[in-house]
Amino acid sequence: VNLPDPRGPNTVRAPYDTMYADGEVPIPVSLKRTPEQIPAWGKPAGVTPAQLRKLMRNYYGMVKCIDDNVGRILAELRERKLLDRTIIVFTADHGLAVGSHGLLGKQSVYEHAMGCPLIIAGPGIPEGSSSALTYLYDLMPSLLDAAGVDIPEGVDGHSLRPGWQRKAERVRDSLYLTYENKMRAVTDGRWKLIRYPPIDHEQLFDLEADPDELVNLVEHPTQESNRTRLFGLMERHHALVGDPHPLVVDKPRRNRKADLTGRKRKPDRSQPDWIKKKYFADQKAPKPNLLFIMVDDLGPEWISACGGNFETPNIDRIADEGTRFVNAYSMPKCTPTRATLLTGQYPFRHGWVNHWDVPRWGAGCHFDPEHNPSWPQALKSVGYRTAIAGKWQLNDFRVQPD
C-alpha cells in the first residue's frame, strides 16, 4: 500500500484541511543558516517562519489522514484475525526539508531529506529500537528472510532480522548516500562527510553533537584525519555500488499439500485452526503475511513515536509493538527509491537513477521483471498471493496488469 501523501501541493480533504488551523508549527533551528551551510543551487527564495506555519497546517492534516487510514488497515486486520500473524512495515520514500536549512524540498543529502521513518512490527519482532545504519534496500532481504524465502543473488541490501532479534547491533559500519551527480555523502552513524563534486565543496558534521548539521568541521585542524578516513570510505562505496559519477571532477564550478510416511508436513492454508493445532503442533509456524505501507515525503520527525510532537497514534501502535530503525535512509527521489525497495539494489545497480512517472509519461519505460527481480516476485514464486496499490510509478497497470 503506497499512500501518495504527505507531499505538495499540500491539499487534503475535510475535515483534515482545517484540523490544525490553529496548531503550533515548530520552526527548524537550521532555518537560520549561513551561506556556507548550503550549496549554491539550494539557496531558498526567502523561506520564512510565516510561510512554514501556513504550509505545515495542511501537511499536519495529511499526516493525520494517513494515520487514521493506517488505523483502518489495522482494524481490518484485527477484524479478520490476521493482525497477530502479519508483519507490518511502515516507512516513507524519503524525508522532506520543510524549512530545514531554508529548504522546502527533498533534493539534498541532509538528514531531513535522506532520513525516513522505518518501523517493522509483527510475530517474532520485539518492541524497542535499533540504531543500525539501514537503507531501504534492506527491506527486500529482510522481508524474504522473515518469510523464509531465499534471497536472490545480486541484492545489495542486508537482512535486518538479526537486528530485531537482538542478535546483532550493526548491519553495516557505514552508509553511502547519493543525489543525482550533484551530491555524495558517507556516514558511520556519528560522522558524516558530504561532497558536492560539481563545485568541489565538502561538509563534515558530527551528528552526535550537531544533529541539525549546522557546523561544518571539514576545515577544522583537528578533523583532517577524520575527513581523510571518511573520504576513503566514500571512495570504497563509490566503487562497490558502481557509481558512474566521479567524486572529483576535472573542472568544478567554483561557485559552489497428506503424507503418512513420517516426513514433516505443511498445513494447508484452507485447513481450520483446530486441525492445525491437533496435527501440526510440532510444525513450524506458518509463514507470515507481509503488509508494506509506504508514504511520500515524510521524515521521521513527523511521527510521534520517532520523537515528533505530532500525534500519530496508529503508526505509534506499530512502533510500540515493533522495532524502530532510527538511522534509516534512502535516495531523495521517488521512482529510484521505489525500484530500490522492490529490488533490494542500489539505484546504480538497478538503473533507475532519475525520476520517471511511467503511468503519466510512458515513452516505453517500465519496471521489467526480467531485468529487475523483486521481492514480491520471489514471494509469489513460493505461493504467496501479492497485491499492490497506490503510487508506485514504475508500471502502468492498464498496460501491465500483472
Side-chain angles (χ1 to χ4, degrees):
V1 180
N2 192 171
L3 308 175
D5 288 326
R7 61 163 296 142
N10 285 25
T11 56
V12 64
R13 62 181 172 84
Y16 302 101
D17 56 339
T18 59
M19 197 173 284
Y20 298 94
D22 300 319
E24 287 295 321
V25 175
I27 304 302
V29 297
S30 59
L31 177 59
K32 295 181 180 180
R33 81 280 177 242
T34 58
E36 64 269 16
Q37 291 167 345
I38 194 166
W41 54 74
K43 290 183 178 179
V47 179
T48 67
Q51 287 176 314
L52 287 180
R53 291 188 182 99
K54 183 177 181 180
L55 179 71
M56 294 309 296
R57 287 163 185 162
N58 269 9
Y59 191 87
Y60 285 164
M62 289 190 289
V63 176
K64 175 60 177 172
C65 184
I66 287 169
D67 189 68
D68 286 351
N69 280 289
V70 169
R72 292 174 60 196
I73 294 172
L74 297 179
E76 186 67 20
L77 289 173
R78 193 178 302 111
E79 176 69 21
R80 293 171 179 255
K81 295 181 172 52
L82 294 172
L83 190 59
D84 62 351
R85 58 188 183 95
T86 296
I87 292 176
I88 302 173
V89 179
F90 180 88
T91 191
D93 56 356
H94 40 66
L96 194 67
V98 289
S100 295
H101 290 92
L103 300 169
L104 293 177
K106 57 207 175 191
Q107 296 83 359
S108 77
V109 290
Y110 286 123
E111 296 292 290
H112 51 69
M114 302 294 290
C116 48
L118 178 54
I119 303 169
I120 308 176
I125 304 175
E127 61 181 79
S129 66
S130 168
S131 60
L133 285 170
T134 62
Y135 199 93
L136 289 189
Y137 56 31
D138 293 328
L139 287 172
M140 179 201 190
S142 301
L143 295 176
L144 293 179
D145 192 8
V149 179
D150 291 339
I151 299 169
E153 294 184 2
V155 171
D156 292 314
H158 300 290
S159 174
L160 302 177
R161 191 181 183 192
W164 71 60
Q165 290 180 330
R166 306 298 187 261
K167 293 181 179 180
E169 293 183 3
R170 291 172 172 262
V171 175
R172 53 178 61 81
D173 293 324
S174 59
L175 197 62
Y176 185 55
L177 309 168
T178 70
Y179 180 72
E180 294 188 345
N181 68 330
K182 297 179 175 66
M183 312 172 202
R184 297 293 180 266
V186 67
T187 178
D188 61 9
R190 175 178 176 179
W191 295 97
K192 180 177 179 180
L193 178 68
I194 301 177
R195 177 163 180 78
Y196 305 88
I199 61 170
D200 193 28
H201 181 63
E202 293 182 349
Q203 296 168 302
L204 176 63
F205 297 113
D206 180 350
L207 299 180
E208 186 176 288
D210 180 28
D212 296 303
E213 298 169 291
L214 289 172
V215 182
N216 184 8
L217 300 172
V218 75
E219 294 183 355
H220 196 285
T222 65
Q223 296 301 323
E224 183 176 354
S225 63
N226 198 21
R227 180 265 166 200
T228 300
R229 175 184 69 88
L230 289 166
F231 186 71
L233 283 176
M234 186 179 288
E235 288 182 308
R236 288 197 288 274
H237 281 290
H238 181 270
L240 186 64
V241 302
D243 188 343
H245 304 293
L247 295 175
V248 179
V249 299
D250 292 334
K251 296 180 179 180
R253 299 195 306 271
R254 293 297 177 181
N255 54 345
R256 356 215 260 178
K257 168 129 22 104
D259 193 326
L260 305 177
T261 65
R263 295 196 298 259
K264 294 289 185 180
R265 295 172 293 163
K266 297 180 181 180
D268 185 88
R269 70 171 68 185
S270 63
Q271 290 169 330
D273 288 339
W274 69 269
I275 289 183
K276 293 178 181 178
K277 290 178 181 179
K278 184 174 182 179
Y279 297 104
F280 298 96
D282 61 339
Q283 300 292 315
K284 292 181 179 180
K287 293 182 184 298
N289 300 307
L290 300 170
L291 171 62
F292 183 87
I293 305 171
M294 183 173 76
V295 299
D296 204 299
D297 291 7
L298 177 71
E301 66 270 24
W302 306 106
I303 306 296
S304 51
C306 298
N309 63 353
F310 184 82
E311 295 299 321
T312 51
N314 293 298
I315 298 171
D316 293 353
R317 175 176 177 177
I318 301 175
D320 290 343
E321 297 176 1
T323 298
R324 291 184 297 109
F325 290 84
V326 299
N327 285 309
Y329 296 88
S330 70
M331 176 184 277
K333 265 194 170 186
C334 295
T335 42
T337 287
R338 284 159 176 79
T340 286
L341 282 167
L342 291 172
T343 63
Q345 295 175 324
Y346 210 82
F348 297 127
R349 190 84 64 192
H350 58 62
W352 289 71
V353 294
N354 289 307
H355 176 65
W356 190 264
D357 194 327
V358 174
R360 288 196 294 172
W361 303 335
C365 293
H366 64 281
F367 185 85
D368 188 344
E370 294 297 323
H371 295 94
N372 303 118
S374 66
W375 58 271
Q377 287 176 257
L379 290 171
K380 197 171 183 179
S381 71
V382 296
Y384 271 83
R385 289 180 294 177
T386 63
I388 192 170
K391 173 187 172 182
W392 286 95
Q393 298 181 311
L394 303 175
N395 290 76
D396 189 332
F397 298 137
R398 296 168 297 184
V399 179
Q400 294 176 298
D402 296 328

